[in-house]
Amino acid sequence: METSENYRIIFKRASRVYWFLILLVVIVMARIIYVQYFKKDIKSGAEIAFRDKPTEPVRGDILDVKGRLLASSIPYYRIRLDCTVSEQDTFNKYVDGLSRSLAEFYKEKTAAQYKTLITEGRKNRKRYLNISRRLLDYSELSQVKQFPLFNKGANNGGIIVEEEYKRKYPYGRTAFRTIGFINSEGRGTGIESSWDYYLKGTPGKQIFQRLTGGEWVPVNSENNVPPKDGYDIRTTIDIDLQEAVEDALKEQLTKGYNVEGATAVVMERRTGAIRAIANLKNDGKGGFDESLNYAVSQATEPGSVLKLVTLVAVLEDKKETLESLVDGGNGTWTYMGQKVTDSHAVGLQTVKGAFAHSSNVCFAKLATRNYEHNPKDFVNRIQNMKLGEKFHLDIQGEGTAVIHSPDWEGWTPGLLASMGFGYGLLITPLHTLTFYNAIANDGRMMKPYFIEGYEKDGHVVKKFSPQEISGSICSKATAEKAREALRAVVTEGTGKMMNKEVFHISGKTGTARIAFDGGGYERGGMRRYQATFCGFFPSENPEYSVIVVLYSGKTAGSFYGATQAGPPFLRIARFIYANTPKWNPMLNGSQTQTKKSNPQVAAGMGEASRSVLAQIPTSAGKQALSSIGNSRWVTFETDTNAIKASNLYLYKDSLADVTGMGLKDAVFLLESQGYKVRVNGHGKVTEQLPQGGTDLPKGETVTLTLSRKTQ
């Protein structure tokens, strides 16, 4: 009996062992299958100890046509400490002084807290101790490098400097919608977004090693790959003209009119290059800001400014001449149930006179009497003139023009009359300007463009050439007749206010109602308007074409192109004339060449300036250079010019003079001298405190005042 019981107990125990072994085998097999087929992140010992991290390249600059900075990446620095580098005696000697200096500088911890942080880091052999998350500028970095222990350098003091770049816009919000921005997700607007591929560069690779305690530190390795910095993008924008255009718009907008937004564009006639583009939108706080690119994206019914299209069509098709008669009657006309009105009756007029006085009735009649039996001929003529052409611009946000055809299901006979005086089709201000520019250019239509090319380290990598959209949107003879009519607008028509200048302007006023969302041009007795002046100058040999458009808010009053868009157009034209040397004799009422001012030498360091000046061939150069000494001014004559270094301080060891410089150059120069820099305003440096030449101790602050209007 006992034997049977013993066998039973033994069998029971053996069964337990058996099932345990079976379970163990199942677990092992399951683990093998999981590791083999499902787990993908198996890492070797080397992979656990090392990893690589992308290193960001320096984003390229955006420059104006003369190379001045519109957007730039400025370096900033973060400090870390390798606590294991310094000898124990050196560490003990300087840790207190370092802690006090850090407390006084960062003001984030007490000296005792910094000492605890650093000594604990040394105890735990921290090789990448974070001192602070705060980023330093160059002058602050120079100051921190002089702290006890840090002044021993990286190999003996353990200081580690990490570089990080921030995007800065020296001219603030000037042309901001065109320059644009890009966020961390790669989304943005303007040139920053459209040319991101070239600006951003190529990331590199840095190997990091994992230390005890989980700390990762960078290591020197042949597998490290340096980043490739981005290209600099040179735009067609002239920042001086850009500022003048914005100022002209703002002056008009501050007069208290009910304006929702405004745009102005300056195009170079021969090339199509955009030299300035301003877009101001009411910010709802009593000001205007660059937040919507009206010129490129806002397609609306342009109104009377597009009567030029009808004029060119009837002239090119030889259906009318400038001397043909058309009756504007009493200013009211009904066609196919559609009522057309003028702001004032013009009666019987020549085509040229009807254009000069901007008669809606006359131009509705011109369109219908010549094309009502075959309206598609009119639409085809418009399309052949490339009015609604897709530009494929080198910046994002291009609006789409809409030009209806008789094939469209919504076409009505009255639409032809509307198109005759600038309604019933949608185009952007840039489309209108490009068409006017083609008329100024003898019918040759140039593609508008914003980018001159891209470059690396000052060397051109790719330069873009002007492109034609059409070699001839009309004959040269037709273009000449159209220019004659555009000049008549200024000499005898709605643009007479432009006829008081010493230079001649040709152009067209335009006033159009803007439809409300959901349709209709009037709601509760309120209307919205678009006021335009588009033209070119000088009339005899055009150099620039300009469009100015203002968009009203809801109003029960009037809003006209001549009174709203005309004044800023004039201010822009005057600025261009005043700053174009070849036109100065015309402005002065004389053909005598005006005296040229002496060229100025940019502010800088004395030794560098001596080196440059010594290379200039002069009749009195040696005498001038030998007389520099401690003088802060130097004037000497070359064989052809008198060069006055009026902004050049020739002190070797004192504070440099940076007045007249752009922000990036000024900050770099002063910080490299060891000074802190505080900046107020935007543009170029117009005031510096303390002044250049001052014997200012290193580490002190220099305050720079920037302005878009430099003397």
Side-chain angles (χ1 to χ4, degrees):
M1 192 70 179
E2 289 182 4
T3 302
S4 298
E5 183 66 21
N6 288 338
Y7 278 127
R8 189 179 67 78
I9 294 172
I10 291 171
F11 179 78
K12 187 175 181 180
R13 290 176 177 173
S15 296
R16 290 175 179 173
V17 172
Y18 172 78
W19 288 110
F20 175 76
L21 292 174
I22 292 295
L23 179 62
L24 183 61
V25 170
V26 170
I27 292 173
V28 171
M29 291 299 296
R31 181 64 179 171
I32 291 173
I33 292 171
Y34 170 73
V35 170
Q36 185 71 28
Y37 297 102
F38 296 100
K39 188 173 182 179
K40 302 298 183 183
D41 58 345
I42 304 173
K43 296 181 180 179
S44 65
E47 289 176 316
I48 294 173
F50 295 90
R51 71 180 182 189
D52 57 77
K53 177 183 176 183
T55 53
E56 292 301 315
V58 179
R59 189 171 181 83
D61 295 333
I62 298 177
L63 313 170
D64 88 335
V65 69
K66 297 177 182 177
R68 292 169 292 189
L69 287 169
L70 303 179
S72 182
S73 294
I74 305 294
Y76 289 85
Y77 310 91
R78 182 177 286 109
I79 302 299
R80 295 183 185 270
L81 175 64
D82 184 345
C83 301
T84 67
V85 166
S86 58
E87 298 291 338
Q88 188 63 50
D89 290 345
T90 302
F91 180 84
N92 293 340
K93 181 177 180 181
Y94 294 111
V95 66
D96 288 327
L98 174 60
S99 300
R100 287 193 298 270
S101 296
L102 292 173
E104 292 173 0
F105 181 82
Y106 284 107
K107 296 180 173 56
E108 296 174 350
K109 296 181 176 69
T110 65
Q113 288 172 327
Y114 275 112
K115 182 175 181 180
T116 299
L117 175 69
I118 295 169
T119 53
E120 287 293 323
R122 185 171 178 85
K123 178 180 177 181
N124 295 320
R125 300 192 60 76
K126 291 279 187 180
R127 295 183 57 188
Y128 208 55
L129 182 67
N130 188 21
I131 297 298
S132 172
R133 296 181 62 85
R134 175 182 159 189
L135 292 173
L136 312 179
D137 61 29
Y138 186 86
S139 65
E140 291 175 322
L141 173 65
S142 300
Q143 183 180 347
V144 168
K145 282 183 174 181
Q146 301 306 311
F147 289 174
L149 193 62
F150 283 175
N151 59 11
K152 303 297 180 182
N155 294 329
N156 296 313
I159 185 173
I160 299 171
V161 179
E162 291 182 339
E163 194 173 60
E164 183 175 321
Y165 284 80
K166 286 188 175 183
R167 203 65 168 166
K168 298 292 183 181
Y169 300 92
Y171 292 91
R173 300 286 293 185
T174 301
F176 188 75
R177 195 65 187 182
T178 303
I179 298 169
F181 67 90
I182 192 163
N183 61 22
S184 58
E185 297 177 352
R187 297 176 182 174
T189 62
I191 295 169
E192 288 276 26
S193 178
S194 303
W195 290 81
D196 180 54
Y197 175 82
Y198 294 93
L199 286 164
K200 68 183 179 182
T202 305
K205 182 178 71 173
Q206 171 68 54
I207 305 299
F208 280 74
Q209 181 181 8
R210 188 174 187 273
L211 304 179
T212 304
E215 187 179 28
W216 292 90
V217 298
V219 296
N220 292 325
S221 169
E222 62 181 12
N223 294 322
N224 288 338
V225 178
K228 294 181 180 179
D229 295 342
Y231 292 104
D232 296 333
I233 302 297
R234 188 178 290 262
T235 71
T236 61
I237 301 296
D238 181 325
I239 194 62
D240 293 329
L241 179 53
Q242 176 69 35
E243 291 176 337
V245 169
E246 290 193 16
D247 289 343
L249 278 186
K250 288 177 180 177
E251 184 173 340
Q252 185 69 15
L253 299 179
T254 55
K255 291 183 177 180
Y257 300 110
N258 181 16
V259 179
E260 183 64 33
T263 186
V265 187
V266 178
M267 176 184 285
E268 193 173 77
R269 188 262 295 179
R270 291 182 179 86
T271 65
I274 303 300
R275 295 304 179 200
I277 175 171
N279 294 278
L280 299 176
K281 188 177 188 300
N282 194 318
D283 60 10
K285 302 175 182 177
F288 292 84
D289 188 37
E290 281 257 352
S291 58
L292 176 64
N293 198 330
Y294 290 102
V296 170
S297 63
Q298 190 89 335
T300 60
E301 294 175 299
S304 295
V305 73
L306 223 64
K307 287 171 183 167
L308 181 63
V309 172
T310 303
L311 177 66
V312 173
V314 297
L315 292 176
E316 185 71 3
D317 288 339
K318 294 182 171 52
K319 295 179 180 294
E320 308 278 357
T321 68
L322 291 183
E323 292 72 35
S324 300
L325 296 176
V326 58
D327 190 4
N330 62 0
T332 301
W333 183 59
T334 301
Y335 178 78
M336 295 293 184
Q338 177 178 319
K339 186 177 181 181
V340 182
T341 61
D342 284 330
S343 60
H344 57 282
V346 298
L348 186 65
Q349 287 282 338
T350 63
V351 168
K352 179 179 175 180
F355 185 77
H357 294 284
S358 199
S359 170
N360 295 338
V361 171
C362 288
F363 271 78
K365 287 184 175 182
L366 285 174
T368 55
R369 83 184 186 186
N370 289 293
Y371 298 101
E372 67 177 343
H373 297 300
N374 197 349
K376 196 163 186 178
D377 286 350
F378 182 62
V379 175
N380 287 343
R381 171 58 65 189
I382 292 175
Q383 292 173 340
N384 289 339
M385 291 190 293
K386 307 296 184 182
L387 179 63
E389 195 78 358
K390 191 75 173 176
F391 294 136
H392 302 289
L393 297 173
D394 37 22
I395 62 172
Q396 296 174 349
E398 180 179 351
T400 301
V402 177
I403 299 176
H404 296 300
S405 169
D407 300 330
W408 176 49
E409 61 182 11
W411 179 271
T412 63
L415 192 56
L416 176 62
S418 295
M419 293 176 70
F421 58 97
Y423 283 81
L425 71 170
L426 305 174
I427 61 172
T428 68
L430 192 57
H431 280 99
T432 301
L433 177 63
T434 303
F435 184 81
Y436 270 68
N437 193 72
I439 298 303
N441 205 26
D442 284 333
R444 185 184 181 208
M445 181 176 281
M446 303 304 298
K447 175 183 175 180
Y449 69 104
F450 296 84
I451 306 299
E452 291 276 353
Y454 53 91
E455 50 198 62
K456 191 80 167 182
D457 300 325
H459 301 288
V460 175
V461 177
K462 178 70 174 178
K463 182 175 178 61
F464 300 114
S465 300
Q467 297 180 38
E468 283 186 1
I469 295 176
S470 173
S472 178
I473 66 167
C474 65
S475 68
K476 184 176 180 180
T478 296
E480 289 176 351
K481 291 295 183 182
R483 290 199 297 271
E484 181 182 337
L486 287 165
R487 179 62 185 151
V489 172
V490 177
T491 58
E492 61 188 72
T494 56
K496 287 177 68 174
M497 61 175 293
M498 303 278 190
N499 201 31
K500 299 178 181 178
E501 307 302 313
V502 295
F503 56 93
H504 293 164
I505 294 171
S506 297
K508 180 73 180 73
T509 57
T511 304
R513 292 188 182 185
I514 301 174
F516 285 92
D517 294 337
Y521 296 103
E522 189 168 327
R523 186 168 296 174
M526 305 295 282
R527 297 174 294 274
R528 295 174 62 228
Y529 290 97
Q530 172 177 313
T532 306
F533 192 93
C534 188
F536 43 81
F537 54 89
S539 299
E540 297 76 12
N541 184 22
E543 292 283 345
Y544 294 97
S545 299
V546 179
I547 188 169
V548 176
V549 185
L550 277 74
Y551 304 92
S552 80
K554 297 177 184 178
T555 179
S558 300
F559 200 81
Y560 294 112
T563 55
Q564 293 290 343
F569 185 102
L570 266 181
R571 285 190 285 270
I572 293 168
R574 287 168 180 165
F575 177 88
I576 293 174
Y577 256 89
N579 290 276
T580 303
K582 68 179 181 179
W583 287 331
N584 285 341
M586 187 181 298
L587 283 177
N588 296 334
S590 170
Q591 295 302 315
T592 303
Q593 181 65 39
T594 56
K595 184 179 180 180
K596 294 182 179 179
S597 61
N598 294 329
Q600 292 187 342
V601 181
M605 302 290 289
E607 289 302 319
S609 302
R610 287 187 179 89
S611 298
V612 173
L613 295 175
Q615 303 303 314
I616 301 176
T618 66
S619 57
K622 292 182 180 180
Q623 179 181 353
L625 290 172
S626 64
S627 66
I628 288 176
N630 291 326
S631 172
R632 81 170 40 174
W633 309 99
V634 58
T635 302
F636 63 95
E637 292 188 2
T638 68
D639 295 334
T640 56
N641 296 296
I643 299 179
K644 180 181 180 182
S646 57
N647 282 334
L648 180 59
Y649 291 108
L650 297 168
Y651 290 107
K652 180 178 180 181
D653 300 316
S654 57
L655 177 65
D657 175 25
V658 297
T659 53
M661 282 189 174
L663 176 62
K664 186 174 184 178
D665 292 336
V667 170
F668 177 81
L669 179 57
L670 294 176
E671 289 185 348
S672 65
Q673 283 194 293
Y675 300 112
K676 296 181 182 179
V677 180
R678 180 182 294 114
V679 178
N680 299 314
H682 304 291
K684 294 182 180 179
V685 179
T686 54
E687 184 179 356
Q688 171 184 340
L689 293 174
Q691 294 182 349
T694 303
D695 293 325
L696 187 68
K698 307 303 181 184
E700 293 296 314
T701 299
V702 179
T703 301
L704 303 180
T705 300
L706 279 62
S707 174
R708 292 186 291 183
K709 292 184 178 179
T710 56
Q711 296 180 350

